[in-house]
Every structure is written in C-alpha cells, then in structure tokens.
Amino acid sequence: MRFAVVAFVVVAFVAGGHCEGVPAAVLTQVANLETQVASLMQAVDVQNTKAKVAEAKLDAIDKATNEAQQLADAKQVMLEAAIDQANGEHVAELIALAQSVRERLGLPPPLPPNSRECVVQHNSDTNDGVYMSCEFTKAGSYDESLLRVSFFGGLRIIASNGGNVCRWSIRINNQACTEPHGAIDAALHENAGGDDTHRPSEVLGLCDKTSAQLGAGTYSVTLYVAQEGATANCYTGWEGSSRLVIEEIPRSSLNVATVVG
C-alpha cells in the first residue's frame, strides 16, 4: 500500500508538469512505477470480481440448501399424514371387525369408560360410623362388569391400653363386599401410648357382590370406620383431601386371580 501511494504521488507530480530538470533515469523509474500501479489496480479489480462471484455462489448454495430442506420437511409431513391415515383406516377396520364378531356371537356392545371420584376435606374422630360416601351408577350387568373401589386419605390410631385396632372398610349400600376376594378393608393396631401419627393410607379392591350380585344400578359407596378395642381412638382425615374413587371395570379386561392363603 505504501508503495502504491508513493508511486501515485510521483506520477501525479510528473503529470502536473513538475519534471523540469528531472533526470531521464528518474522519469523512466516513474513511468515504470505508473505501469506497476496500474497492474496492481487491475489485480485488485480482478480479486474483487472473484470475491463477488464467490459470494454469489454461496448465496446460490444457501438458497438451494433452504429449498432442499423445505422440500424434505414437506415430504416428511406428507409421509406422516399418510401413515396417520393408514393407521386410522386400520383402526376403523379393526373396530368394525370387532363389532361384527360381537354381533355374530350375540354379545352386547362394549361398555364405555365409567368412573367417579368424590373428595372431602374433613377431619373426623368417629370410632364407629360412616366417614364419607359417594353415589355411583353402574351401567353393566353382573356378568359384564365389576367395581374397583379405593380410598385415599390420612388414618391414625392411638390407645390407652394394648391390643386395640381401628378398621376402615369400603362398603356398598352399607354392606361389606364378599366377592371376588372378600371384604375391602385395612386395619391399624396400636399398643398403649401411641404417638398420634397421621399416615397417608390407601384401601382398595374389587367388588362384584355383597349379599347380592352387583348388577346395573345406582349404589352408595362408603368408607366405614370401626373400633375394635374399648380404648382405641380412631381418626380419619388430617389437614388434606380424602377421596373415594369408583371405577366400573369390564370383566373381559381383568384376570381375577383366586385368593391364595
């Protein structure tokens, strides 16, 4: 750059008519410098042109890459849509086939999902009685479905003498379940001098019969508390929600094992 500036100044000096008394050899060098400057300027122009061409090629590559990515994304969307459509058609075919088989066998249509949750925020020191209840309407017959019932909440027992028990049981229309696995209950035992700890607990099980089979109809599901021992002090619920959850379960979806032991 310094060379080009000096040459430019010298050339301008000569072109301006300030060459009187300048030796011929100097003038020749100046002419040579002028030629070199022109060559350098031409080379710079060539490099600039190449840079612009390279930039244009990069822009073209970026554009082509973006277009290719957009095309790939569009193909992916089309493929996923085709898969979804095919799956939907197969599902519809399977549903239609299942309905046809049920009709040929004279089976009733499948039961729709049916469940209910009842929630209370209630602390109770009842030793013998109902803590909470929840009504539930069963849609299927005894042969079609059974109930899965569960209680979630805090339980506690304290006692002034040893050998005391509190029992919490889930009843249907105030009757204990007898099938398929007997009563649905849980018990806490405490010796004298309990620590008054309220523990989150769960009582759950399946029920399809009390004194009678549970067919279609509306039932009252309750959590019943019972004191077993004169000094047992039972407590249900503590600074939180207690809930009864009732679900109607199709028999076809269950493998009810026989009670062992």
Side-chain angles (χ1 to χ4, degrees):
M1 180 63 72
R2 181 179 299 175
F3 172 79
V5 171
V6 172
F8 177 77
V9 172
V10 173
V11 171
F13 176 80
V14 173
H18 303 286
C19 58
E20 295 180 2
V22 178
V26 173
L27 293 176
T28 299
Q29 291 179 0
V30 169
N32 290 337
L33 287 173
E34 184 177 11
T35 300
Q36 293 178 13
V37 169
S39 298
L40 287 172
M41 297 298 292
Q42 184 177 5
V44 170
D45 290 340
V46 170
Q47 293 300 323
N48 288 337
T49 301
K50 289 182 178 180
K52 290 180 179 179
V53 171
E55 185 177 0
K57 289 181 178 180
L58 288 175
D59 290 341
I61 292 173
D62 288 342
K63 182 178 180 181
T65 301
N66 291 334
E67 291 177 350
Q69 185 61 49
Q70 292 175 0
L71 180 60
D73 292 343
K75 288 182 177 180
Q76 182 65 28
V77 171
M78 294 174 64
L79 177 61
E80 291 176 356
I83 292 173
D84 290 342
Q85 182 178 359
N87 289 338
E89 291 174 353
H90 288 313
V91 170
E93 291 174 0
L94 290 174
I95 292 175
L97 178 61
Q99 292 176 344
S100 175
V101 170
R102 296 181 75 90
E103 290 174 358
R104 291 180 182 179
L105 296 176
L107 299 176
L111 295 171
N114 186 18
S115 63
R116 188 181 185 192
E117 178 185 65
C118 294
V119 180
V120 298
Q121 290 185 331
H122 173 52
N123 303 335
S124 173
D125 60 356
T126 298
N127 287 326
D128 188 6
V130 174
Y131 169 71
M132 67 178 296
S133 62
C134 184
E135 282 200 351
F136 182 80
T137 299
K138 185 173 181 287
S141 66
Y142 171 81
D143 293 328
E144 290 178 308
S145 64
L146 68 168
L147 298 182
R148 179 163 57 196
V149 292
S150 53
F151 166 81
F152 305 87
L155 305 181
R156 185 274 277 155
I157 176 177
I158 56 176
S160 58
N161 292 318
N164 287 274
V165 173
C166 289
R167 186 177 303 276
W168 289 264
S169 60
I170 297 178
R171 298 183 177 185
I172 311 294
N173 287 349
N174 202 32
Q175 294 183 349
C177 293
T178 58
E179 294 184 8
H181 296 147
I184 302 173
D185 61 0
L188 291 178
H189 173 273
E190 185 65 72
N191 289 318
D195 58 3
D196 196 22
T197 299
H198 299 257
R199 297 175 175 85
S201 305
E202 179 179 9
V203 183
L204 76 161
L206 299 173
C207 185
D208 61 5
K209 183 179 180 181
T210 55
S211 60
Q213 296 178 347
L214 302 183
T218 300
Y219 296 92
S220 176
V221 181
T222 57
L223 180 74
Y224 193 89
V225 187
Q227 176 194 61
E228 299 178 9
T231 65
N233 178 255
C234 310
Y235 207 97
T236 312
W238 182 256
E239 300 302 325
S241 298
S242 299
R243 45 184 35 88
L244 274 171
V245 179
I246 307 107
E247 303 169 88
E248 183 173 3
I249 308 298
R251 289 188 180 275
S252 59
S253 66
L254 287 174
N255 180 15
V256 181
T258 302
V259 178
V260 177

